[in-house]
Amino acid sequence: MDRLVKADVKEVELVFIKGQKSSITFTLTNLMHTMSVAVSLYTKKPSFFSFNKPFSIIPPLSSSSYTLLSQPSDQPPLTNPPDAITVKTTMVPLGKVNHDDTRRRFSKPGPHIFKDATLPISFLGPQVIEHLISSNTQISDTDFFFNKAISGCSGNQLTVLLQSAAVSGKADLVRTLIDHGGDVNHKESNGRSLISLAVEAGNLDVFNVLISSGCEIDNSVDHVFHYAAAINRVDLMDALFRAYKNTDSIDSVDFNGRTPIHISAIHGCTQVIRFCLSVGASPEALDVDKCTPLHLAAKGGHLDTVECLLEASNYSKYALNKQGKTAFMLAIENDRSNVYGSLHLDDALSRAARIGDVNGIKSCIDEGANVNGKDQNGWTPLHRAAFKGKMEGVRALLGYGGEVNVFDKNGYTPLHCAVEAGHVEVTLLLIGHGAKANLKCQRYGYGGWFEI
């Protein structure tokens, strides 16, 4: 005979509830026609699992029920391989034996002991899935535990779990929940979609799963481009742009009237701004406070972002918000001295160079102005001082590293400006500092620089 008893299940399934005991009842049947059978039950974790009857006697052809109990725990005790109930048996020829005799009988190995069954223990329910989603530790065979746990969940529970999974970045788990009945178009209490959660968390793989599964967004509450902009994720911006194929979305506004470029400016996300500009977004959009993105970048002191926005818009530098303040004024209020030069000091330096104000030139440069910064026409301060014949101003600018052979947009150097205006002394001074008298004038056209 291969075994003395038969179990009514092939495995036992416990619904795990955090902090509570779990229990499951199963039945063993004595297959012997004339002899009673003693039964011993145990697991690998006797401190966690227990039985109402660890030792018992089953009369011939009779059945007996057993209850497996698990201790309260903060997380399901998932192991690979999973724990199991081992069922051992031995025949009781006289039909009766006390518990002490039964224990002694099972404590001695030998041919009289039968191993009749091994019943794996599985944990079911949403709290098991929550643990698998949130766990930072990689558990072997996660899919096995996940698929087991799902069988103990309702459709509504799977849908709720999708929210956590969308944030987790575990795209395979998201797909499994959807495949088993989770509603991909479930909304948060505030109306946001699962795609909003995935984008806000920066999970591109989850986003792709949701898109392929038919997840939809509501533009009035799902400010997905703004979420991607806030974390400087060009890849997500590009994926969103391709998925929704709507150029208007790149200039969509949130509840504060801010576009994705505004959000990028707040966080100093220059890469996203460049992407938005490349697909047609406006760098001069105004929020509810009439702030341009440049206002917000200047307030935060994000130099790279400030310079990127200045390249895209000459107007923004002079735009006034609702309080009548420029981006430069906001930078001063917030002590963002690193952006002063780009926003204002370069302009002040150009004015000082134009009138030959040596003290003004020195002050601006000492405060951070770029001695070789160019205006909208490509003129540096040295171009202006040379054209106006301001000898001492030219001398001061050269002393601070002003470049003598730099071209403006029309291909003119400071030397060209001095010669054209007839300032002989300035011309000689520039030549003495390396200006090339025979440097050919160049102009910039669609094909690049060319000589004339």
Side-chain angles (χ1 to χ4, degrees):
M1 176 173 289
D2 295 328
R3 55 182 177 172
L4 304 182
V5 299
K6 179 182 179 181
D8 65 339
V9 294
K10 292 184 178 180
E11 66 179 312
V12 293
E13 299 175 333
L14 292 167
V15 176
F16 176 80
I17 301 175
K18 185 177 180 179
Q20 296 185 22
K21 288 185 176 182
S22 300
S23 64
I24 185 70
T25 298
F26 58 98
T27 299
L28 297 177
T29 299
N30 184 355
L31 301 177
M32 303 294 291
H33 288 72
T34 60
M35 195 172 298
S36 296
V37 173
V39 175
S40 169
L41 305 176
Y42 67 91
T43 67
K44 295 177 182 178
K45 294 182 179 178
S47 60
F48 186 82
F49 294 110
S50 61
F51 300 93
N52 64 331
K53 295 184 293 185
F55 298 97
S56 63
I57 305 294
I58 306 178
L61 297 179
S62 298
S63 298
S64 181
S65 295
Y66 301 85
T67 300
L68 173 70
L69 301 168
S70 69
Q71 296 301 311
S73 176
D74 289 336
Q75 63 184 44
L78 304 178
T79 58
N80 183 28
D83 204 345
I85 300 171
T86 299
V87 180
K88 289 190 174 183
T89 58
T90 186
M91 290 181 284
V92 183
L94 300 179
K96 291 184 178 181
V97 65
N98 60 43
H99 283 289
D100 289 339
D101 289 339
T102 302
R103 290 175 191 273
R104 284 193 293 270
R105 186 181 292 260
F106 283 110
S107 66
K108 298 177 181 179
H112 63 288
I113 301 296
F114 294 82
K115 185 177 179 180
D116 277 8
T118 300
L119 308 176
I121 302 171
S122 298
F123 289 92
L124 313 182
Q127 292 190 16
V128 178
I129 297 178
E130 286 178 1
H131 170 73
L132 292 170
I133 290 172
S134 63
S135 176
N136 291 323
T137 303
Q138 187 65 38
I139 302 174
S140 299
D141 297 325
T142 295
D143 289 345
F144 169 80
F145 295 119
F146 200 83
N147 289 326
K148 285 289 183 182
I150 279 180
S151 64
C153 298
S154 66
N156 288 337
Q157 288 173 329
L158 294 178
T159 296
V160 172
L161 288 165
L162 259 178
Q163 295 183 53
S164 298
V167 175
S168 73
K170 298 178 180 178
D172 290 343
L173 301 190
V174 172
R175 188 180 298 280
T176 301
L177 288 169
I178 294 172
D179 290 344
H180 282 78
D183 182 5
V184 73
N185 282 308
H186 172 74
K187 306 291 184 182
E188 277 193 306
S189 58
N190 58 11
R192 294 200 311 165
S193 70
L194 295 175
I195 284 182
S196 278
L197 300 180
V199 173
E200 193 171 30
N203 295 324
L204 179 59
D205 289 342
V206 173
F207 167 80
N208 288 329
V209 169
L210 294 173
I211 286 292
S212 65
S213 300
C215 187
E216 300 175 351
I217 63 171
D218 179 349
N219 288 321
S220 65
V221 292
D222 287 309
H223 302 300
V224 289
F225 285 91
H226 296 70
Y227 305 146
I231 56 177
N232 205 24
R233 289 290 297 275
V234 176
D235 56 341
L236 276 170
M237 294 290 287
D238 184 54
L240 286 164
F241 194 73
R242 293 174 183 275
Y244 296 109
K245 297 180 175 60
N246 183 356
T247 55
D248 293 337
S249 298
I250 208 69
D251 270 332
S252 62
V253 297
D254 62 11
F255 302 116
N256 295 310
R258 290 171 175 167
T259 66
I261 287 187
H262 279 99
I263 302 303
S264 300
I266 291 172
H267 296 281
C269 300
T270 308
Q271 290 178 320
V272 168
I273 290 178
R274 293 192 186 281
F275 172 82
C276 292
L277 293 172
S278 73
V279 294
S282 170
E284 297 174 351
L286 302 178
D287 67 10
V288 294
D289 295 319
K290 294 188 176 180
C291 285
T292 66
L294 184 63
H295 280 98
L296 304 178
K299 183 178 180 180
H302 304 300
L303 179 58
D304 288 345
T305 304
V306 165
E307 292 181 342
C308 174
L309 291 167
L310 287 172
E311 290 175 7
S313 169
N314 287 321
Y315 160 77
S316 295
K317 181 189 287 189
Y318 309 105
L320 302 178
N321 67 5
K322 189 178 286 187
Q323 288 75 41
K325 296 177 181 178
T326 63
F328 179 65
M329 295 169 71
L330 290 182
I332 292 176
E333 285 183 1
N334 292 275
D335 194 26
R336 305 300 189 183
S337 59
N338 63 315
V339 300
Y340 289 174
S342 296
L343 290 170
H344 180 76
L345 286 175
D346 290 351
D347 289 346
L349 176 58
S350 292
R351 288 195 296 271
R354 186 176 67 247
I355 63 176
D357 180 2
V358 174
N359 289 331
I361 290 172
K362 292 179 178 179
S363 176
C364 287
I365 294 175
D366 288 343
E367 289 182 31
N370 181 2
V371 69
N372 292 307
K374 294 184 177 183
D375 64 12
Q376 64 270 23
N377 298 311
W379 273 30
T380 66
L382 191 57
H383 278 92
R384 292 196 175 279
F387 184 73
K388 290 294 184 178
K390 302 302 181 181
M391 185 73 172
E392 294 306 316
V394 170
R395 197 185 306 276
L397 291 165
L398 291 170
Y400 275 102
E403 295 182 18
V404 293
N405 292 311
V406 62
F407 292 111
D408 68 5
K409 287 188 176 180
N410 290 315
Y412 290 99
T413 67
L415 180 60
H416 288 127
C417 294
V419 171
E420 184 176 309
H423 301 304
V424 177
E425 291 184 358
V426 172
T427 298
L428 294 174
L429 177 61
L430 290 170
I431 292 174
H433 280 77
K436 297 178 181 179
N438 62 347
L439 190 66
K440 292 183 179 180
C441 182
Q442 299 184 9
R443 292 188 187 277
Y444 190 80
Y446 290 111
W449 289 100
F450 58 92
E451 295 180 354
I452 60 174

